């Protein structure tokens, strides 16, 4: 509730972190994902807690729903928390269930891996294919962040990038300045001259 409202409560979150660390094995997958999301949303670093969440999540990754997978990756990346084994588990599980991901989950997953510099070719191939099929449902932020993620990891996915260019062209007036900048940077980094966007 505090995270959803954007209300920082440092002492409360310190207490939650301590208690959660001790009881982490009792948490369901949804609780693990929600806890990570809440701490990341409020920018509260809790390394010991996140280590515990990572270990427990690895054990039950197959029971996470797609929102939980994406939100967990997003939370760790937002706080700069590296958890190689957890991200490997998230990648494998996400590859198998990529068709269940909605556009925001696809974007958040790509963004998280790129933010931490984790290149997972098979995962990104799956994200590219799924995103191409759903590109009309992406928000401007989703289009920009997806392009940014692929460019950051130097992954060239021509069909996806073309689809992003087409969708962005039709909605360019809806892009915020940072989204325009990220999109331009992504295309330039990938060495793609796209007249439809840059004219």
């Amino acid at each position: 509730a505090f995270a959803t409202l954007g209300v920082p409560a440092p002492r409360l979150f310190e207490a939650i972190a301590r208690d959660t660390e001790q009881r982490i094995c009792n948490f369901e997958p949804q609780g693990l994902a929600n806890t990570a999301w809440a701490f990341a949303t409020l920018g509260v670093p809790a390394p010991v807690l996140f280590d515990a969440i990572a270990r427990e999540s690895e054990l039950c990754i197959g029971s996470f729903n797609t929102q939980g997978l994406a939100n967990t990756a997003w939370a760790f990346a937002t706080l700069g928390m590296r958890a190689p084994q957890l991200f490997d588990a998230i990648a494998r599980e996400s590859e198998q269930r990529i068709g269940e991901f909605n556009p925001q989950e696809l974007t958040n997953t790509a963004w998280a891996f790129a933010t931490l510099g984790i290149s997972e070719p098979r995962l990104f191939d799956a994200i590219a294919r799924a995103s191409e099929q759903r590109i009309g449902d992406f928000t401007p932020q989703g289009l920009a962040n997806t392009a940014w993620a692929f460019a950051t990891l130097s992954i060239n996915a021509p069909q996806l990038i073309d689809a992003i260019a087409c969708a962005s062209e039709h909605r360019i007036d809806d892009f915020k300045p940072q989204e325009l900048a990220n999109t331009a940077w992504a295309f330039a980094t990938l060495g793609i001259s796209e007249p439809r966007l840059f004219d």
Side-chain angles (χ1 to χ4, degrees):
F2 281 87
T4 301
L5 293 171
V7 178
R11 285 186 295 181
L12 171 61
F13 271 72
E14 287 174 8
I16 291 173
R18 288 193 302 271
D19 191 60
T20 301
E21 289 160 19
Q22 298 171 9
R23 301 165 59 186
I24 199 74
C25 61
N26 296 322
F27 274 59
E28 297 291 330
Q30 187 71 50
L32 294 167
N34 286 352
T35 301
W37 177 88
F39 276 76
T41 297
L42 291 179
V44 180
V48 176
L49 171 61
F50 271 71
D51 283 347
I53 290 174
R55 289 193 302 272
E56 194 64 27
S57 297
E58 290 165 35
L59 297 175
C60 60
I61 202 70
S63 299
F64 275 65
N65 61 28
T66 55
Q67 183 181 39
L69 291 168
N71 282 356
T72 300
W74 177 87
F76 275 76
T78 296
L79 291 177
M81 300 283 184
R82 296 189 173 277
Q85 290 177 301
L86 172 60
F87 271 74
D88 184 64
I90 290 174
R92 299 292 83 78
E93 188 67 23
S94 298
E95 287 167 30
Q96 296 174 23
R97 298 168 58 191
I98 204 69
E100 302 171 29
F101 279 58
N102 67 34
Q104 184 175 354
E105 292 160 1
L106 291 167
T107 296
N108 286 353
T109 301
W111 179 88
F113 277 77
T115 295
L116 292 176
I118 302 171
S119 182
E120 284 281 351
R122 289 186 301 175
L123 172 61
F124 273 78
D125 283 348
I127 289 174
R129 290 193 303 272
S131 298
E132 289 164 30
Q133 297 169 4
R134 305 286 302 278
I135 204 70
D137 298 326
F138 276 60
T139 64
Q141 182 181 32
L143 293 168
N145 284 355
T146 300
W148 177 90
F150 276 76
T152 294
L153 293 175
S154 300
I155 298 173
N156 195 358
Q159 290 177 300
L160 171 62
I161 297 303
D162 186 64
I164 290 174
C166 184
S168 299
E169 178 194 4
H170 294 299
R171 305 182 59 188
I172 204 69
D173 290 341
D174 297 329
F175 277 59
K176 296 176 182 177
Q178 188 61 54
E179 294 161 359
L180 290 170
N182 286 352
T183 303
W185 178 89
F187 277 79
T189 298
L190 291 171
I192 299 171
S193 176
E194 185 49 72
R196 289 174 295 180
L197 287 179
F198 291 95
D199 283 350

